[in-house]
């Protein structure tokens, strides 16, 4: 899958270095929105930082350890999602995502994560998918809830983003529970 139309103006594409300028611009314009929850924001200072990340993600994909996708809405990049860690021994994958502020509240990321879960179960050696969120990040926590994940645990003070320390809610989904 290089690019897939999800309908209604929403597209997923393999995140490639050619997206670096657009994604860096998106991060830069959304620093205040993203920084509260994501530790990488302050370290992303130029398109070169984003390009290096994307190149590394392609290496991870080649090794079967990750899949990173760029989310486009009406032709513009609006976010990123992916399998951040694929553990073929434990057969577990972890999903992560972020979305530009102007694209929130439309169900775009929920639709994209639904497709990512389909891809994970179809093409990766996983039987379990996890999503970890800070409980205060209600928009992020709503996605696994909408998709039928089970809220399994709260790890105390387990998420650190800059000066913020939060608990971590662990959501889990087993292959046999997935209906797509």
């Amino acid at each position: 899958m290089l690019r897939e139309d999800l309908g209604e103006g929403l597209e997923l594409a393999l995140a490639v270095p050619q997206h670096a300028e657009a994604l860096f611009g998106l991060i830069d314009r959304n620093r205040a929105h993203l920084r509260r929850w994501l530790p990488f924001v302050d370290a992303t200072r130029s398109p070169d930082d984003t390009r290096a990340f994307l190149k590394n993600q392609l290496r991870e994909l080649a090794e079967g350890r990750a899949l990173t996708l760029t989310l486009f809405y009406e032709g513009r990049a609006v976010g990123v999602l992916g399998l951040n860690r694929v553990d073929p021994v434990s057969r577990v994958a972890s999903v992560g995502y972020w979305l530009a502020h102007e694209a929130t509240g439309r169900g775009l990321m929920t639709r994209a994560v639904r497709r990512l879960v389909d891809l994970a179960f179809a093409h990766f050696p996983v039987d379990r998918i996890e999503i970890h969120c800070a409980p205060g990040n209600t928009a992020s926590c709503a996605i696994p809830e909408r998709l039928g994940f089970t809220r399994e645990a709260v790890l105390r003070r387990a998420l650190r983003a800059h000066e913020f320390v939060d608990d971590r809610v662990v959501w889990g989904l087993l292959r046999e529970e997935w209906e797509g």
Side-chain angles (χ1 to χ4, degrees):
M1 168 222 176
L2 190 54
R3 198 167 187 109
E4 182 174 342
D5 185 347
L6 299 182
E8 300 175 17
L10 192 62
E11 288 183 285
L12 283 178
L14 182 64
V16 294
Q18 292 83 347
H19 298 162
E21 296 282 340
L23 291 176
F24 174 76
L26 200 57
I27 293 166
D28 207 36
R29 288 188 306 278
N30 283 271
R31 283 186 188 281
H33 170 67
L34 298 173
R35 186 178 188 274
R36 171 63 182 91
W37 310 111
L38 300 171
F40 73 84
V41 172
D42 283 359
T44 306
R45 305 306 312 163
S46 75
D48 288 338
D49 295 328
T50 304
R51 191 171 293 105
F53 167 77
L54 295 171
K55 286 180 180 178
N56 184 61
Q57 292 306 294
L58 289 176
R59 280 191 293 278
E60 296 268 320
L61 174 61
E63 295 168 2
R65 296 186 305 177
L67 171 64
T68 303
L69 305 170
T70 302
L71 183 62
F72 290 90
Y73 182 63
E74 296 180 346
R76 294 179 302 116
V78 294
V80 171
L81 66 152
L83 301 177
N84 296 337
R85 290 182 312 276
V86 175
D87 179 346
V89 174
S90 296
R91 298 184 62 85
V92 176
S94 177
V95 168
Y97 43 83
W98 61 264
L99 190 62
H101 185 265
E102 65 269 16
T104 61
R106 300 177 188 167
L108 303 178
M109 191 56 77
T110 300
R111 289 174 52 208
V113 172
R114 177 179 286 116
R115 182 62 182 132
L116 177 63
V117 171
D118 284 339
L119 292 168
F121 284 137
H123 300 289
F124 287 85
V126 298
D127 293 321
R128 173 185 170 82
I129 296 177
E130 295 179 353
I131 296 177
H132 296 203
C133 309
N137 191 344
T138 55
S140 189
C141 285
I143 292 169
E145 187 172 14
R146 278 187 214 112
L147 295 177
F149 282 66
T150 299
R151 182 178 168 143
E152 297 179 337
V154 176
L155 308 177
R156 296 175 301 149
R157 296 184 58 174
L159 279 177
R160 189 171 301 274
H162 316 291
E163 67 272 15
F164 305 103
V165 179
D166 292 292
D167 293 345
R168 176 189 306 242
V169 178
V170 179
W171 298 84
L173 178 74
L174 304 178
R175 177 185 293 277
E176 60 269 20
E177 297 169 335
W178 183 240
E179 297 176 12

